[in-house]
Amino acid sequence: MPMTGRFDDQAIHAILSEALLSGRLMAGAKLGEQRLAAVFGVTRERIRKVLLRLGHERLIETFPNRGAYVVNPSIEDAREIYEARRVVEGGIAWHVAERLSDEQQTVLRAHFTSERQAHQHRSRADSVRLSGEFHILLARMTKNEFVIRTMQELVARTSMLVAFFEDSNASECAVDEHEEILLALESRNPAAAAHAMMAHLALIETRLHPRAAPAGKADLLPALNAAIEAYEARAK
Ligand SMILES: [Zn+2]
């Protein structure tokens, strides 16, 4: 039995995100509050709170009176989401390249450096999060609330698609593709930036392949335990 008080809400959220983004949970599997409460040694109320947050972040689906489930995206959902991203983000890249300040350039460079470090340390959850944030960061630089909100939803939906479809060794966003976008932005070339962004999103889409189900995937416990171990190793 895990010790009570071993995990705070932030830790439970980080561990569940890691397990979800690892793609080791079965699509459509139920995330039972009672079961998770036992795994983490906390109350069901605290699990419910974390599940609500994960639902808000689109990492899981929550239904009133039915509970929380691992998302179950189809390949058609994936195509539509990537098409939407090419439409929106081609425009974002163009817009940002036309107006990039020196300060924004420094922020983008710094972000890119952390992304490359996460990739080198093979931390999949960090890589997924940081590469998603690169796209959000560009959206924020438009300073348009509608664009930012649309992108937050699209990026969250993409993170879960990547977990289910992509083969586990490939990175969801190739670091050198982000660098190509960054270089075009730094040279203030709108057409090159839009082109690099759209090419990047098309390449991610071609890397999406439904995965073979790993052994024991139907059970939540192995994936959760692996995520708990990874979390505790990082916390040391
Ligand atoms: Zn990317």
Side-chain angles (χ1 to χ4, degrees):
M1 264 310 271
M3 275 184 301
T4 305
R6 182 170 159 210
F7 300 109
D8 60 16
D9 291 358
Q10 192 56 40
I12 296 169
H13 177 268
I15 290 163
L16 284 174
S17 300
E18 170 99 25
L20 288 160
L21 292 169
S22 75
R24 291 186 61 207
L25 298 177
M26 191 171 64
K30 185 169 169 77
L31 295 161
E33 284 173 11
Q34 200 157 356
R35 184 109 197 265
L36 293 173
V39 169
F40 290 104
V42 299
T43 61
R44 288 181 62 167
E45 285 63 37
R46 285 191 44 206
I47 293 294
R48 192 172 306 147
K49 207 170 118 192
V50 175
L51 290 176
L52 273 175
R53 181 170 161 205
L54 290 166
H56 185 72
E57 292 165 346
R58 314 272 179 197
L59 292 183
I60 59 172
E61 282 187 285
T62 54
F63 302 98
N65 306 319
R66 278 182 50 211
Y69 295 81
V70 179
V71 296
N72 189 8
S74 70
I75 199 80
E76 290 75 28
D77 292 336
R79 301 274 169 251
E80 289 233 311
I81 290 167
Y82 277 103
E83 183 175 58
R85 289 194 56 171
R86 283 194 295 275
V87 171
V88 173
E89 291 189 74
I92 289 173
W94 187 290
H95 185 100
V96 172
E98 276 184 329
R99 297 165 177 80
L100 192 74
S101 68
D102 292 343
E103 194 187 324
Q104 286 175 324
Q105 182 172 339
T106 308
V107 170
L108 280 175
R109 243 315 140 185
H111 185 89
F112 177 73
T113 304
S114 1
E115 239 187 279
R116 191 157 50 193
Q117 279 164 356
H119 182 72
Q120 282 161 351
H121 293 130
R122 299 180 186 285
S123 167
R124 184 166 166 89
D126 282 349
S127 274
V128 170
R129 180 177 55 79
L130 286 167
S131 62
E133 279 173 14
F134 176 80
H135 292 262
I136 297 285
L137 196 56
L138 285 177
R140 287 220 180 89
M141 288 180 178
T142 66
K143 300 187 174 77
N144 183 310
E145 271 310 311
F146 298 103
V147 172
I148 296 165
R149 245 181 284 155
T150 303
M151 273 302 297
Q152 279 166 339
E153 176 168 350
L154 288 171
V155 166
R157 288 185 185 278
T158 312
S159 299
M160 285 314 294
L161 285 178
V162 168
F164 282 107
F165 287 107
E166 194 186 323
D167 84 71
S168 51
N169 294 322
S171 171
E172 61 298 333
C173 279
V175 175
D176 54 355
E177 288 164 25
H178 275 194
E179 188 163 35
E180 203 154 308
I181 297 165
L182 183 59
L183 290 171
L185 291 168
E186 284 174 339
S187 60
R188 272 81 174 163
N189 183 333
H195 182 265
M197 176 61 84
M198 288 164 86
H200 168 52
L201 293 168
L203 281 167
I204 304 177
E205 192 180 337
T206 63
R207 288 196 287 267
L208 287 183
H209 301 289
R211 280 203 220 160
K217 199 178 181 187
D219 193 1
L220 292 177
L221 278 182
L224 281 181
N225 285 332
I228 289 172
E229 257 172 50
Y231 178 84
E232 293 190 322
R234 273 202 306 278
K236 269 177 196 155

